[in-house]
Amino acid sequence: MKTSSARRLGRALAVLALIGAGTQLTPAAAATPALQSIVPVPVSVTPAAGVAFPLVSTTKIVTEAGSAPAKQVGDYLAGVLRPSTGFALPVSDAPAPVPSDSIALLLSGAPSTVGAQGYQLVSTASSVTVRAQTADGLFAGVQTLRQLLPGRVESPSAQTGPWTVPGATIVDYPRFGYRGAMLDVARHFHPVATVKRYLDQLAQYKINNLHLHLADDQGWRIQIDSWPRLATYGGSTQVGGGAGGYYTKAQYTDIVNYAASRHITIIPEIDLPGHVNAALASYAELNCNGVAPALRTDTAVGYSSLCISKDITYTFVADVLRELAALTPGPYLHIGGDEASSTSAADYVTFMNKVLPLVAATGKSAVGWHDIAKATLPASASPQFWGTTTSDSGVSTAVSRGSKVILSPANKAYLDMKYNSSTPIGLSWAGYIEVQDAYNWNPGTYLSGVGESAVRGVESPLWTETVVTPADIDYLAFPRLAAHAELGWSPWPTHDWTAFRTRLGAQAPRWVAQSLNFYRSSQIPWDTGGTTNPGTCADPAWSASQVYTGGNVVSHNGHKWTAKWWTQGEEPGTTGQWGVWTDNGAC
Ligand code: TNX
């Protein structure tokens, strides 16, 4: 059964298909009209037939008068649009009425249905007006506005217009208040610049939480003043034996502030009481036998545990949580809790019963991997489900006591699982996860005993045993992260794989413009920019600007090459990162 909003969307798209034929559109735009291409799909889109807003050199951005948060969103939007358009796009307080030739970001007049995170976007021939109740809502509206412009608007260098926003009224708000991603910076350390790059990508898809897995067996990644060797020694290596690293407090704060400017909350995790070899190696007194083990750079799990019976363990945990809480404006501290197989079941519960109040003492709410539900949780604590089944008695009991659940089922939401057997990086213990697998599940009915209202939201974890570079992060996160973002934001009645894959395919020009190394899944009809001429061995040769799709054949350097998947700018013979071109031999 479809809701009225879903029907409205369906009608809107049908109307669009009609008007698309009559307007001046590039071939690429004609293939995927912008209003049909938004990810996550909005609650409702009503096109204004024949109307379009031209973004031109004189366009100004005006923001709610006197509101610093609205001004910051305006500055952010200008920062996105200036490099590619080359326009000045000055940002100033909005006069009333809103002048023509402007993009207005206003904190009044939004319909009440948009709530705390949603927005209304109205584009006419003379202005684009985003209205929301909060700066979070304006920021979400700005992400939609980006997607209404051609993908090349995302380029860091000047591009050719025209820059046209189709006329429409969009009313939009999230299904779940929490939309998350997790980055493991412990297995391989990822520097501040990489985290910022990821934050920029998350923001585009309206993800509003980044959980940082800051400590594990192979490395401790955050400066703690009361236990300095955690970072300086415990952070000195990583999986495979590389140099590792850690964030100073100033660097962590830089990440927190950058995230805030993208309306993203940082959730720091210290994994306890297992996954602690780096801490045990740094301080002998944390070990039951008083002997510090060696640092580890392998990927074994389940062998390390804090000493549950020692008082110093709780001094240590309290110190770490206190320092972390002081650096973290968000409401959550994540205490891990998974795979503590070297801690007895009774000790595990003892430990959690002592540590949960230590979290509360910092004024924060606890999040933990769903194993923490083996203890009796306060309603404020959120178990994060990472299993591969669809029921868990600990989680459903916690829900009956008032807890809300974060859903990260490993066989759907784990970004570190391979797409298929030939994926060059990633793991496969929870199975292969193609884009359709990532998309086709309903968070509101997934776990027995955990209904829609007990779900805090969806989170996509990226563990980094095999993930070293920003390009690796891109490759595993995209496009699956966009699928999860839609599960977290869009109303369930809009859920439709066929429509989604087209909308997802339309993201390709944006990702290319951003140099995002996404996985060109053969399940997705990637937008090729309207180009169709692949060349032949005998005639036109490979060109760096041409888009090729799987099966296209070109000649280059006297050889004939076949593209395995969507590609642009990757030279046959030199290949892209993982060899998109198959060499078919001499022409
Ligand atoms: C399981 S999921 C883990 C991590 C690994 C991950 C690899 C969870 C809470 N623990 O320690 O990195 O699998 O996919």
Side-chain angles (χ1 to χ4, degrees):
M1 204 190 80
K2 294 212 162 194
T3 66
S4 63
S5 57
R7 274 198 301 272
R8 213 161 43 236
L9 182 68
R11 272 201 307 273
L13 298 183
V15 171
L16 260 177
L18 290 176
I19 63 162
T23 45
Q24 282 269 310
L25 297 168
T26 64
T32 52
L35 286 170
Q36 280 186 40
S37 310
I38 303 162
V39 176
V41 67
V43 171
S44 97
V45 177
T46 310
V51 174
F53 172 77
L55 179 75
V56 292
S57 62
T58 53
T59 300
K60 2 181 213 310
I61 297 174
V62 296
T63 61
E64 180 73 28
S67 166
K71 170 79 161 56
Q72 280 162 14
V73 179
D75 287 338
Y76 165 91
L77 175 62
V80 170
L81 301 180
R82 281 173 186 148
S84 54
T85 62
F87 301 155
L89 301 171
V91 183
S92 63
D93 272 1
V98 166
S100 62
D101 191 18
S102 64
I103 298 171
L105 306 178
L106 304 178
L107 291 170
S108 64
S112 61
T113 48
V114 304
Q117 293 186 24
Y119 64 91
Q120 178 202 55
L121 185 154
V122 179
S123 45
T124 69
S126 66
S127 65
V128 177
T129 307
V130 181
R131 294 180 181 275
Q133 297 178 8
T134 65
D136 285 347
L138 292 180
F139 189 79
V142 157
Q143 301 313 320
T144 296
L145 174 56
R146 285 169 80 170
Q147 291 192 31
L148 295 179
L149 287 159
R152 62 187 182 281
V153 82
E154 300 296 335
S155 173
S157 60
Q159 303 293 311
T160 314
W163 307 106
T164 306
V165 178
T169 296
I170 298 175
V171 177
D172 197 17
Y173 48 87
R175 177 180 180 187
F176 299 110
Y178 183 107
R179 295 154 323 267
M182 185 213 80
L183 183 63
D184 170 9
V185 297
R187 271 47 178 275
H188 280 98
F189 181 61
H190 298 278
V192 173
T194 304
V195 177
K196 288 182 175 176
R197 174 183 158 86
Y198 202 40
L199 285 163
D200 282 334
Q201 295 171 0
L202 301 177
Q204 288 189 84
Y205 293 97
K206 303 187 173 84
I207 289 173
N208 61 353
N209 289 276
L210 176 63
H211 161 188
L212 290 175
H213 184 76
L214 289 169
D216 212 301
D217 289 317
Q218 302 89 343
W220 185 285
R221 308 299 179 202
I222 179 74
Q223 175 188 349
I224 299 292
D225 293 334
S226 52
W227 298 77
R229 264 174 68 82
L230 292 170
T232 57
Y233 181 71
S236 65
T237 191
Q238 61 183 0
V239 167
Y246 65 90
Y247 307 126
T248 63
K249 289 193 167 181
Q251 287 175 321
Y252 178 83
T253 298
D254 185 24
I255 291 172
V256 164
N257 291 340
Y258 193 85
S261 74
R262 271 74 184 146
H263 294 256
I264 294 174
T265 300
I266 295 292
I267 299 169
E269 177 189 353
I270 301 295
D271 205 342
L272 306 166
H275 291 271
V276 289
N277 188 70
L280 298 179
S282 304
Y283 287 97
E285 59 267 44
L286 292 177
N287 295 268
C288 281
N289 66 0
V291 179
L295 293 169
R296 294 269 295 251
T297 62
D298 61 308
T299 58
V301 293
Y303 60 84
S304 61
S305 177
L306 288 174
C307 188
I308 307 305
S309 59
K310 275 190 167 182
D311 288 346
I312 195 169
T313 295
Y314 304 96
T315 308
F316 162 77
V317 172
D319 287 344
V320 168
L321 295 180
R322 189 187 61 251
E323 291 196 35
L324 212 46
L327 292 173
T328 304
Y332 303 113
L333 292 182
H334 199 302
I335 54 173
D338 60 311
E339 296 175 326
S341 7
S342 297
T343 318
S344 73
D347 274 0
Y348 184 90
V349 172
T350 302
F351 178 84
M352 286 300 165
N353 286 343
K354 290 195 180 190
V355 167
L356 287 164
L358 296 179
V359 176
T362 68
K364 307 290 185 189
S365 298
V367 184
W369 299 108
H370 74 265
D371 318 48
I372 64 163
K374 290 175 192 151
T376 305
L377 298 179
S380 61
S382 295
Q384 179 170 5
F385 180 75
W386 64 279
T388 54
T389 61
T390 54
S391 71
D392 182 274
S393 61
V395 173
S396 51
T397 302
V399 163
S400 68
R401 295 171 47 84
S403 282
K404 295 219 175 198
V405 178
I406 296 169
L407 286 171
S408 304
N411 52 343
K412 300 284 183 191
Y414 267 31
L415 296 175
D416 63 315
M417 291 303 117
K418 295 183 178 213
Y419 293 95
N420 55 51
S421 61
S422 46
T423 305
I425 53 172
L427 306 177
S428 57
W429 67 263
Y432 300 130
I433 306 179
E434 250 295 354
V435 185
Q436 190 169 11
D437 306 312
Y439 180 72
N440 272 349
W441 58 288
N442 182 352
T445 58
Y446 190 74
L447 265 190
S448 56
V450 185
E452 178 104 7
S453 63
V455 174
R456 192 177 295 291
V458 176
E459 182 173 303
S460 319
L462 180 51
W463 301 98
T464 61
E465 286 91 337
T466 66
V467 175
V468 182
T469 65
D472 293 348
I473 294 175
D474 288 0
Y475 188 77
L476 289 175
F478 288 88
R480 291 180 293 197
L481 188 76
H484 298 151
E486 178 148 319
L487 290 178
W489 179 280
S490 304
W492 182 249
T494 63
H495 190 264
D496 177 342
W497 166 248
T498 306
F500 175 70
R501 61 194 282 278
T502 305
R503 282 184 285 108
L504 191 62
Q507 306 302 305
R510 272 163 224 290
W511 295 346
V512 169
Q514 294 169 342
S515 301
L516 197 156
N517 180 40
F518 63 104
Y519 162 61
R520 272 78 167 171
S521 169
S522 60
Q523 293 184 334
I524 305 303
W526 299 110
D527 184 341
T528 61
T531 50
T532 51
N533 175 16
T536 65
C537 203
D539 183 28
W542 174 80
S543 132
S545 59
Q546 169 84 43
V547 171
Y548 303 93
T549 54
N552 284 171
V553 177
V554 297
S555 64
H556 190 58
N557 289 342
H559 277 227
K560 188 171 166 182
W561 308 83
T562 305
K564 289 186 206 151
W565 54 72
W566 192 106
T567 182
Q568 183 180 34
E570 294 169 307
E571 185 180 358
T574 62
T575 79
Q577 197 182 15
W578 291 297
V580 51
W581 294 104
T582 304
D583 186 350
N584 297 327
C587 279

